[in-house]
Amino acid sequence: MRLMRMVVGVMVLGQLLTRILLAAHAGDRLAAARRILKDVPLIDGHNDLPWNIRKFLKNQLREFRFDDLSGVHPWSRSAWSHTDLKRLRQGMVAAQFWSAYVPCSSQHLDSVQLALEQIDLIRRLVNKHSDSMVLVTTAEGIERAHKEARLASLIGVEGGHAVGASLAVLRMLYELGARYLTLTHTCNTPWTPTGLEDVSKYPELFAELLARGWSEKDIQKLAGLNLIRVFKAVEQIRDNLAAEGMEPLEEEIPQEDIIGRYYCRYNIKRLMAP
C-alpha cells in the first residue's frame, strides 16, 4: 500500500511538473510573440465596426465611447461587436483597415452616397480619438504610427458597386483615403473585367498577371504553392503532437464561450439523462 501511494505521488508530481514546464514554455512563446509585435506592425485587413455604428447609432458619434465597449449595451451583447480601443491595444494591433461597407441593395440607387457617409464616419471616429488613432494612407504612415504607439487607421471600401460604375468616383474615394476596393460582395458588379466570369478563366487570369510583370515563381505561389506550404507546416505540427502521444481534445466548448446563436444547437445532453 505504501509503495502504491509512493507511485501515485510520483505520478501526480510528474503531471504537476509537466504542467509547470508547459506553462513556462507557453509564457516564453507569448513573450516572444509580443516582442515581435513591438518590432513589426500587426495589420488587420478588415473590420466592420463602422457598419455596426450605422446600425446601432445611425452614425451618431457624440455619445459613442470607443475606449471600452465590453460592458456597454448593445455592443456587449452583439455577436458582431468585438472591437474597442482597449481590446485593440491588448491585441497589439498596429494598423486597422476600417470597412466602408455598402450593401448590394443600394446598387444603382444611393451606393455612392452610402460609401461617402461611411468614409465620413471613419474619419470622424479617428479624429475623435486622435490621441490613440491616426488616419494613414501610406506604408510610411503605418510605420510612423507604429512608432508613435497610435493605431494606424486605413479605409477599405467593401463592394465595387460603391463607385457607381464611375472612375471619377473611384478617384475621389482614393482622395478621401480609401486604399482598397473589393470588386464584388453578394451581387454582380457591372464593370468587373470581362473574361473572369467563372472558374474556367484561371489561365487567362494568370496570363494577365504575367503580362503585368509577375514572375512565373510568383504565379506558382499564387496558384497553390503558398497554400500547400501552409498545409505541410500544419501537418508537421499534427504529426509531432501525435508522436508525443497527445490525443485530440474531447472537452466541450463552454456555452458561455460560444458567440452567437448557441440556442439553436442540438442539446446532446438530453440523450445523456438517466
Side-chain angles (χ1 to χ4, degrees), residues 12-44:
V12 171
L13 179 61
Q15 292 176 352
L16 179 60
L17 289 174
T18 299
R19 291 180 180 179
I20 293 174
L21 288 173
L22 288 174
H25 289 318
D28 291 342
R29 290 191 293 269
L30 183 58
R34 286 176 173 155
R35 185 172 63 253
I36 292 171
L37 295 180
K38 284 184 179 179
D39 296 332
V40 179
L42 171 62
I43 304 172
D44 188 330

Side-chain angles (χ1 to χ4, degrees), residues 34-171:
R34 286 176 173 155
R35 185 172 63 253
I36 292 171
L37 295 180
K38 284 184 179 179
D39 296 332
V40 179
L42 171 62
I43 304 172
D44 188 330
H46 183 93
N47 194 308
D48 278 319
L49 175 74
W51 188 253
N52 284 331
I53 293 177
R54 189 179 189 94
K55 288 194 303 181
F56 295 151
L57 303 178
K58 302 186 186 304
N59 283 7
Q60 302 299 308
L61 292 176
R62 186 168 300 168
E63 304 300 326
F64 182 58
R65 299 293 179 260
F66 191 34
D67 296 292
D68 186 356
L69 297 174
S70 59
V72 180
H73 181 76
W75 308 94
S76 58
R77 298 184 179 181
S78 171
W80 306 106
S81 175
H82 42 72
T83 297
D84 53 39
L85 289 174
K86 179 181 178 180
R87 282 175 280 188
L88 287 166
R89 293 190 194 98
Q90 290 174 339
M92 300 185 73
V93 178
Q96 178 69 72
F97 272 94
W98 301 107
S99 174
Y101 167 66
V102 179
C104 274
S105 57
S106 67
Q107 185 167 213
H108 308 304
L109 299 171
D110 56 352
S111 59
V112 175
Q113 176 182 334
L114 288 174
L116 293 174
E117 289 175 352
Q118 291 309 104
I119 291 175
D120 167 71
L121 170 66
I122 294 168
R123 294 177 69 102
R124 287 189 292 117
L125 177 67
V126 172
N127 289 338
K128 184 176 181 180
H129 300 276
S130 57
D131 56 333
S132 302
M133 309 169 69
V134 59
L135 184 71
V136 304
T137 58
T138 64
E140 181 183 359
I142 295 174
E143 294 171 341
R144 183 168 57 251
H146 188 220
K147 293 178 181 178
E148 296 173 353
R150 290 198 292 172
L151 179 68
S153 296
L154 302 98
I155 300 172
V157 178
E158 188 175 2
H161 52 282
V163 304
S166 169
L167 290 177
V169 172
L170 177 62
R171 287 191 292 269

